[in-house]
């Protein structure tokens, strides 16, 4: 079980979600700590797995990936070994930028990027339909992003689950 986060930990997480390139001095000033305790807290948050990494967020349109598709993939059978084999294959494909194992109809929900519709069509035919144990593929295309890559809401982050 993770330790409870105090107000300084939550403030650090909020600030780093907004700008992961903050210097320790700037972060400390923003959260109301001196530099050394702030640095120790960031390291502790990293070691405890609250912070899992840092990365640049790229504009997919500007780098030529104009198509974002949501693909529901149905597996032939949903046994453990078959699902693991399909998961491994999905992880190895860079065009698949997110994958979720889902409830309801389908087995996986993928987010796939591509240059254009023609290249997506070829990718679906040559790659997606040839994944191990794939029975069917259903695709919807993004017509425009309303919100993407948002920060996690931290209000209530320390509350126990309801239910």
């Amino acid at each position: 079980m993770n330790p409870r986060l105090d107000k300084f930990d939550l403030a650090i997480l909020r600030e780093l979600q907004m700008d992961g390139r903050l210097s320790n001095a700037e972060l400390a000033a923003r959260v109301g700590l001196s530099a050394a305790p702030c640095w120790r807290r960031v390291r502790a948050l990293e070691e405890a797995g609250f912070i899992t990494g840092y990365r640049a967020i790229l504009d997919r349109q500007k780098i030529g990936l104009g198509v974002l598709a949501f693909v529901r993939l149905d597996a032939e059978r949903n046994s453990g070994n078959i699902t693991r084999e399909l998961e491994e294959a999905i992880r190895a494909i860079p065009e698949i930028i997110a994958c979720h194992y889902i409830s309801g109809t389908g087995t996986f929900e993928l987010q796939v990027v591509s240059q254009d519709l023609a290249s997506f069509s070829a990718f679906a035919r040559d790659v997606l339909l040839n994944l191990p144990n794939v029975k069917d593929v259903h695709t919807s295309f993004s017509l425009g992003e309303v919100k993407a890559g948002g920060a996690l809401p931290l209000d209530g982050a320390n509350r126990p689950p309801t239910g």
Side-chain angles (χ1 to χ4, degrees):
M1 180 172 207
N2 287 329
R4 293 187 54 86
L5 301 170
D6 68 16
K7 69 177 186 173
F8 292 110
D9 295 328
L10 290 170
I12 288 168
L13 293 174
R14 275 190 197 92
E15 292 296 332
L16 288 176
Q17 282 192 113
M18 302 311 289
D19 184 357
R21 295 182 65 184
L22 286 174
S23 69
N24 185 61
E26 178 64 24
L27 178 60
R30 288 186 185 190
V31 301
L33 290 170
S34 59
C38 183
W39 181 85
R40 283 192 296 272
R41 283 175 177 267
V42 170
R43 291 290 169 256
L45 290 166
E46 291 170 348
E47 289 170 10
F50 288 100
I51 299 171
T52 60
Y54 301 88
R55 65 183 178 99
I57 299 169
L58 307 180
D59 184 320
R60 69 176 172 80
Q61 302 276 350
K62 288 186 179 181
I63 61 172
L65 298 170
V67 169
L68 173 61
F70 299 92
V71 179
R72 190 182 72 227
L73 206 141
D74 298 325
E76 194 67 49
R77 291 170 287 159
N78 285 333
S79 72
N81 288 339
I82 289 172
T83 301
R84 276 189 290 284
E85 183 181 354
L86 187 50
E87 287 173 359
E88 288 174 23
I90 287 168
R91 281 189 196 100
I93 302 169
E95 292 86 353
I96 300 173
I97 60 170
C99 174
H100 296 269
Y101 191 53
I102 60 171
S103 65
T105 305
T107 307
F108 293 101
E109 184 80 21
L110 313 175
Q111 288 182 31
V112 179
V113 292
S114 189
Q115 292 177 332
D116 52 34
L117 289 175
S119 61
F120 176 82
S121 179
F123 175 79
R125 181 185 61 246
D126 299 340
V127 177
L128 294 178
L129 289 173
N130 290 307
L131 286 169
N133 305 301
V134 169
K135 178 172 65 173
D136 206 359
V137 173
H138 304 272
T139 303
S140 299
F141 294 97
S142 172
L143 300 176
E145 286 182 358
V146 175
K147 184 177 180 180
L152 295 175
L154 295 176
D155 294 338
N158 283 327
R159 289 188 207 137
T162 58

